[in-house]
Amino acid sequence: MTAGISSLTSLSNPTGAKASSDASTIAGNFNQFLTLLTTQLQNQNPLDPLDTNQFTQQLVQFASVEQQLKTNDQLGSLITASKASAAATASGLIGKTVTADGATSSLADGSATWTLTPARAAAKAVMTITDPKGNVVATQTKALPAGSQSFTWDGRASTGQLAADGKYTLKVQALDATGSSVTVDTKITGAITSVDVSGAEPVLTIGDRTVALSSVEAIGGTGGN
């Protein structure tokens, strides 16, 4: 896989179409309010002018809408700066060895893989796989030998149907031969080969796995150092 950064052009519009639509809506309301207020002042009865308190309240509303527009502009600038900073940080990780939370993996083409490291051999380990909403999709029970190992799910749910591609989380509850609980580590360690900054958070590629930048727990040197 060629190392690199993808979708850098997305930084030029970090808030997307929704933010643009929201700003247009607020600006439209602002202009409409200004038009209504001006029309009201022009057509008020000279013998019965607008009540001072009502006029003051309308001016306060006018100022609030104007302030909201300015705040949105400032937030947009902050988001742009934040994404640029995150992209710069993520790009500096390419080639470095990182350790990240590996409890969540991607199901694609009928396969999702996790790296498991039990503290010692487990005579019984219940593997529970959940979807992004926390719903249990599948469970499996097996023994786990000591040491690092891979666990691959074929994407088949407990109902017998194939689950849709996407992110799934694995939780392992393991017991040894005496019935004592065994801790099973689901972290992933490897060198970063590429970074995708097209989304809200940079996503790192480690071998054939992808993890979010926020999942990184430790950073080592380059080239496995």
Side-chain angles (χ1 to χ4, degrees), residues 11-50:
L11 295 178
S12 61
N13 185 21
T15 54
K18 183 180 184 303
S20 177
S21 176
D22 291 344
S24 297
T25 300
I26 295 173
N29 292 339
F30 175 80
N31 291 330
Q32 184 179 34
F33 178 83
L34 180 59
T35 300
L36 289 173
L37 180 61
T38 303
T39 302
Q40 182 181 21
L41 291 175
Q42 290 174 343
N43 295 279
Q44 66 178 328
N45 186 349
L47 299 179
D48 185 21
L50 183 66

Side-chain angles (χ1 to χ4, degrees), residues 54 68 79 108 144 153:
Q54 292 182 6
Q68 186 176 1
I79 292 173
L144 296 176
W153 175 47

Side-chain angles (χ1 to χ4, degrees), residues 87-166:
T89 299
S91 66
L93 293 177
I94 294 177
K96 290 186 177 295
T97 299
V98 298
T99 298
D101 178 10
T104 299
S105 185
S106 297
L107 174 66
D109 298 324
S111 179
T113 302
W114 288 266
T115 300
L116 308 179
T117 307
R120 57 186 183 280
K124 178 182 179 181
V126 178
M127 332 287 280
T128 303
I129 300 168
T130 58
D131 63 18
K133 295 182 179 180
N135 300 315
V136 175
V137 177
T139 58
Q140 294 185 23
T141 301
K142 59 180 298 183
L144 296 176
S148 181
Q149 57 204 275
S150 294
F151 168 69
T152 300
W153 175 47
D154 62 5
R156 194 166 295 280
S158 298
T159 59
Q161 298 179 330
L162 291 176
D165 287 356

Side-chain angles (χ1 to χ4, degrees), residues 10-16 73-87:
S10 65
L11 295 178
S12 61
N13 185 21
T15 54
D73 289 340
Q74 293 172 350
L75 287 176
S77 298
L78 288 175
I79 292 173
T80 300
S82 177
K83 286 182 67 66
S85 176

